[in-house]
Amino acid sequence: MFERPTPALALPAAVAWLWLAACAGGGPAASDSASTGAADTHPVLESVNPVRPDVRAAAVRREWLARQAAARRGSPAPGAAVPPSPAATPGIETGTPGKLLIFSSVTGHVPTGDVRRATTGSPEERESERVAELERALEAERAREESPRETGSDVSTRPPTSPDTGAGVLLAPAAPPLPELDPALFVSEKASVPAGSWANAEDLPVVRRSLDLDGNGRPEEIRYFDVTTDALLRREEDRDLDGNPDAWSRYERGELVERVLDSNADGRPDEWETYVAGQMTLREIDGDGDGTKDTSYRYRYDSLVELRRDTDADGMIDHVEHFERRQRVQAIDDLNRDERMDTWTTYQAVGGQEVAVRIERDSKGLGRPTVFETYRAAVGPPVLERREEDLDGDGVIDVTRQYEPGGAVVPEQAAPL
């Protein structure tokens, strides 16, 4: 146990602890963990619903740029507010995840970009560099838009593909019933379950009833009952009759609450099921047999609400889907496999089909979206209608483009001076 620091040392101790945690964890990428079952050795990435920047601030940004036009001539307006610069300069440290974590924990702010350069130099120098940098980014965007463009040629115009969700998993399965067998078929005896075998704190006396129909000394089924109440506590099955148990079920007050399966007969569990009131609430799977759970289905009431997958078997969850009323409404992906989610896709039911209507992307590795794409809500190939981008990662939309049905960019109308 760690001793509680004195008030005078509380803040330094907290900062030091956060620094060590960030260095050991490799950054603030993930804090969620997989549910109970086999031992989990890796964290699961957070599925954070992105917060879309206020598009009304784009007009304020344009007005600010107009007022700062003089900065390109070397005479910036003094005393203006200066957002932090997002670009890195060679030879200048841009900060580490651990440093950003400490900064955020102490100040409550999340810095983006080059923290050192954004806080050094005179206000005029910082403002001049900020305006010039944003202008360069805008010029690059204009040059890209002026080049020929084919519909669907850019990955940003296509919704990310995701594993199919079969209709069979949308409905929560009911708990498998306990077969009613003739008690005379079982051999009953008293036994004691050693402490720790079933997470029991001390030795547990039970009544053990075995079913060995072929008489080979390897029971096809064993049931354990409470000595006092005769309530069923546990059930072990040899479903493939190879002489080894491959299904373990736990009961509370006569109801199934947990079941573990070995579906490939390798002697190791690869499926974990949880039940409440006779209905499945969680199913976890080790699909590749490497000892690590890679897929989970979470249910509420009688319907699927969340699906998680590790699609590349690296031990990290990189695909999450959310469901409402047995329809997928959102998919979250870590497409670049950097252990942090970078793509959020919103779905809408159109003509009985799921259609991607909005995609939000983290193009700068900030852990939040900087590109926002809106697609036509219609059945068929995706048609991009609108694209917004936060070029400098300050949470404000800098560029907005409208698209025609064929993929061409709608020309922008110059606002009167």
Side-chain angles (χ1 to χ4, degrees):
M1 296 292 292
F2 290 100
E3 294 183 359
R4 180 177 299 176
T6 60
L9 300 177
L11 182 57
V15 171
W17 185 88
L18 286 171
W19 173 266
L20 292 175
C23 293
S31 61
D32 193 12
S33 60
S35 299
T36 58
D40 297 307
T41 59
H42 301 284
V44 177
L45 297 178
E46 282 187 347
S47 55
V48 180
N49 290 321
V51 179
R52 184 173 179 272
D54 189 352
V55 295
R56 295 173 299 178
V60 178
R61 171 66 64 186
R62 288 193 294 270
E63 293 177 4
W64 183 84
L65 284 174
R67 291 197 306 269
Q68 304 304 324
R72 302 195 67 184
R73 298 191 298 270
S75 56
V82 184
S85 170
T89 299
I92 296 182
E93 181 184 0
T94 59
T96 64
K99 292 179 180 177
L100 297 184
L101 178 61
I102 294 174
F103 180 88
S104 301
S105 64
V106 175
T107 66
H109 300 288
V110 180
T112 59
D114 187 346
V115 178
R116 179 182 299 181
R117 192 176 66 182
T119 55
T120 59
S122 66
E124 290 79 11
E125 292 172 345
R126 297 200 304 268
E127 187 169 298
S128 178
E129 174 63 24
R130 170 78 174 99
V131 174
E133 192 171 75
L134 186 54
E135 286 294 336
R136 288 194 296 268
L138 289 171
E139 289 173 1
E141 285 293 318
R142 295 191 188 100
R144 189 176 68 138
E145 290 301 335
E146 290 174 359
S147 62
R149 178 190 184 97
E150 297 181 3
T151 302
S153 62
D154 187 351
V155 69
S156 65
T157 66
R158 299 195 303 271
T161 58
S162 61
D164 295 331
T165 303
V169 304
L170 296 175
L171 181 64
L178 180 67
E180 295 185 4
L181 301 176
D182 185 354
L185 298 175
F186 289 85
V187 175
S188 180
E189 61 180 342
K190 289 187 177 182
S192 178
V193 179
S197 299
W198 300 349
N200 46 314
E202 54 188 20
D203 292 352
L204 178 66
V206 296
V207 175
R208 183 179 184 269
R209 295 171 183 166
S210 306
L211 178 66
D212 184 9
L213 295 179
D214 56 10
N216 65 354
R218 295 183 175 183
E220 295 83 32
E221 183 174 336
I222 302 176
R223 299 181 182 182
Y224 298 87
F225 296 82
D226 184 272
V227 173
T228 304
T229 64
D230 201 36
L232 180 61
L233 302 176
R234 182 181 175 94
R235 179 182 177 216
E236 298 177 359
E237 303 171 75
D238 176 12
R239 298 176 302 165
D240 57 6
L241 304 179
D242 66 350
N244 300 309
D246 50 35
W248 301 263
S249 302
R250 184 169 64 88
Y251 294 80
E252 291 181 358
R253 294 180 293 276
E255 290 188 351
L256 178 64
V257 295
E258 185 179 7
R259 188 167 74 143
V260 180
L261 306 175
D262 172 16
S263 60
N264 58 5
D266 65 351
R268 298 190 303 177
D270 48 42
E271 293 188 29
W272 297 262
E273 301 171 350
T274 303
Y275 295 87
V276 174
Q279 206 82 36
M280 180 181 288
T281 59
L282 178 65
R283 182 184 182 215
E284 299 170 290
I285 301 174
D286 172 16
D288 53 12
D290 63 353
T292 302
K293 301 171 185 176
D294 47 46
T295 304
S296 69
Y297 303 88
R298 190 174 298 277
Y299 296 88
R300 183 179 298 121
Y301 303 117
D302 62 348
S303 301
L304 181 67
V305 294
E306 184 183 71
L307 163 65
R308 289 181 173 236
R309 279 197 174 108
D310 170 15
T311 61
D312 56 2
D314 65 348
M316 308 296 295
I317 295 298
D318 49 53
H319 177 80
V320 180
E321 296 182 11
H322 296 290
F323 296 81
E324 293 180 0
R325 299 177 180 177
R326 301 178 189 173
Q327 291 280 345
R328 179 170 52 181
V329 295
Q330 185 185 47
I332 308 175
D333 293 273
D334 174 18
L335 297 182
N336 62 6
R337 301 300 189 265
D338 66 348
E339 302 182 6
R340 103 163 76 185
M341 296 303 190
D342 52 43
T343 305
W344 297 262
T345 305
T346 301
Y347 294 89
Q348 180 178 324
V350 178
Q353 298 185 24
E354 293 176 351
V355 177
V357 295
R358 183 172 177 82
I359 301 178
E360 305 182 7
R361 307 177 191 271
D362 175 13
S363 62
K364 302 183 179 299
L366 301 177
R368 54 185 171 81
T370 55
V371 176
F372 307 84
E373 299 171 344
T374 302
Y375 291 80
R376 178 177 301 175
V379 177
V383 178
L384 181 62
E385 293 186 327
R386 181 184 179 91
R387 192 172 193 266
E388 302 165 287
E389 187 167 1
D390 173 13
L391 296 176
D392 50 12
D394 64 350
V396 177
I397 296 298
D398 300 308
V399 177
T400 300
R401 291 180 295 278
Q402 300 283 352
Y403 292 87
E404 296 177 349
V409 179
V410 177
E412 296 183 6
Q413 299 294 329
L417 299 176

